[in-house]
Amino acid sequence: MTALLAFVVSAVVVALVREFPPVRTDGRFALHIAGWLALWVLFTLLKATRIKWLGEVRDFDAATPVAPETVLPTEEFWPSRPIIWGFLPVLLVPTLVMALAWEPWIVLILLWLALDWTAKAARIVHWERKNRYVLWRGGVRSRPWELSYSPVRPPAPARTATDAPPR
């Protein structure tokens, strides 16, 4: 969400300050867009494999189990912090400087980042559901970028008023 917000803000600022150059409506523009989308789909599919240096699934499989004494966060990330406000200027400032001083269409890099991070989130969710684990980053303080996993705990069985197990 942070990259998407940075894209919207930078596109509005560039449109108001400098204006975007007109887009050719011939077939070459559509061919360029289709080419970029095909390239993105290709790299996204390659990242979903176990190919060395390209695939991310090997990193997920190499995750270590979370130590039992580790206290895991209980709040959900998405509803509480969809936008990382400290990271927004890191994305926004260089993009605005390049877009205003050089090429206005450079703001599309932020859209590319948003698509890429969304695809990575989808790969992680797929891996978690397939393996019945939850991936964590930063479970080991000395190696904050190392992936760890914890098992998904099934919900406790419901109890009745007489403390008999449900049927």
Side-chain angles (χ1 to χ4, degrees), residues 105-141:
W105 292 108
I106 203 81
V107 298
L108 292 176
I109 289 175
L110 294 172
L111 188 59
W112 182 279
L113 280 175
L115 286 173
D116 191 48
W117 292 341
T118 303
K120 183 172 186 165
R123 287 189 298 272
I124 290 171
V125 167
H126 179 265
W127 186 91
E128 288 178 340
R129 290 191 180 192
K130 179 180 168 190
N131 295 298
R132 306 248 329 130
Y133 290 124
V134 177
L135 283 174
W136 300 93
R137 190 173 297 277
V140 181
R141 287 191 187 269

Side-chain angles (χ1 to χ4, degrees), residues 38-95:
L39 188 65
W40 178 76
V41 168
L42 175 69
F43 277 114
T44 300
L45 291 174
L46 286 174
K47 287 180 182 180
T49 65
R50 287 182 170 82
I51 297 173
K52 195 173 189 176
W53 297 303
L54 285 176
E56 292 178 333
V57 178
R58 292 175 65 142
D59 296 335
F60 303 156
D61 291 338
T64 58
V66 173
E69 67 273 359
T70 303
V71 178
L72 298 172
T74 56
E75 80 254 0
E76 293 182 29
F77 171 78
W78 186 250
S80 62
R81 300 187 301 152
I83 297 172
I84 303 169
W85 293 104
F87 191 52
L88 185 63
V90 173
L91 293 174
L92 198 56
V93 171
T95 305

Side-chain angles (χ1 to χ4, degrees), residues 25-26 29 43 63 82 146 155 167:
T25 56
D26 60 352
F29 179 73
F43 277 114
E146 181 179 291
R167 294 183 190 188

